[in-house]
Amino acid sequence: MAALLCVAACTTDHSEAEQPTRSRGPVKPSRATAAPAPSSAQPSLRRPPELEPDTSLAGRQEVTTGNATVPYGMGKKGDALTIAVSCQGKGRVTVVVQPVQVSFPLECGAPQVTTIANQVAVAGVERGGAVSVEASPAVHWAMTIGRGMPAEVEPPGAD
């Protein structure tokens, strides 16, 4: 039986909210284009998000517009996969993790940078695969993929 562990942190203007994880079909990859971050008085997206110190790097995509697929290599049995995505611009980013068919959306804030980090700990993430991103044309995004021990899950209602 596969277990899904999703730890989500979405930051917009320094507030935190959880973002659900859901299964979805594969995303057809297409070419991404590197693009400079938009200029504005707000902080701009300049580099991929950072991972927790105890997480090892498995893949990275610099600031991009358009759709892209980022491969990641094999990990150790029991490792979880962490996918951290930052975006800026008006629109949406949809992230799909292959081969485990896990996906999550991210609504991007127009002037502010929005970041989400999801941890996936299901059977199959120890194998290599790819993370595909579908992005609205007006969105600049960057992604970091990491591997590490799964986060401990608190039982519902435990605060």
Side-chain angles (χ1 to χ4, degrees):
M1 175 179 215
L4 172 66
L5 171 68
C6 175
V7 178
C10 178
T11 308
T12 304
D13 293 331
H14 305 291
S15 64
E16 292 185 10
E18 286 192 4
Q19 198 65 299
T21 297
R22 58 189 166 107
S23 293
R24 200 186 127 180
V27 171
K28 185 176 180 180
S30 63
R31 283 186 69 93
T33 55
S39 61
S40 70
Q42 295 287 328
S44 63
L45 181 59
R46 298 190 189 279
R47 61 179 185 227
E50 297 293 323
L51 296 171
E52 294 294 323
D54 59 344
T55 304
S56 62
L57 182 66
R60 179 170 279 149
Q61 178 68 39
E62 295 297 325
V63 178
T64 302
T65 57
N67 302 339
T69 298
V70 179
Y72 61 88
M74 289 184 65
K76 296 183 290 191
K77 188 169 179 87
D79 273 357
L81 199 62
T82 300
I83 299 97
V85 181
S86 294
C87 65
Q88 185 175 28
K90 188 164 179 65
R92 181 181 204 142
V93 170
T94 301
V95 180
V96 179
V97 183
Q98 301 289 348
V100 293
Q101 300 296 322
V102 172
S103 69
F104 57 92
L106 176 58
E107 286 295 329
C108 303
Q112 68 269 26
V113 175
T114 304
T115 299
I116 187 170
N118 280 308
Q119 186 178 78
V120 181
V122 297
V125 296
E126 69 278 358
R127 296 186 306 247
V131 178
S132 296
V133 176
E134 272 185 7
S136 301
V139 171
H140 291 77
W141 62 274
M143 176 172 58
T144 305
I145 305 167
R147 288 193 175 278
M149 294 300 298
E152 291 189 29
V153 179
E154 292 183 24
D159 288 327

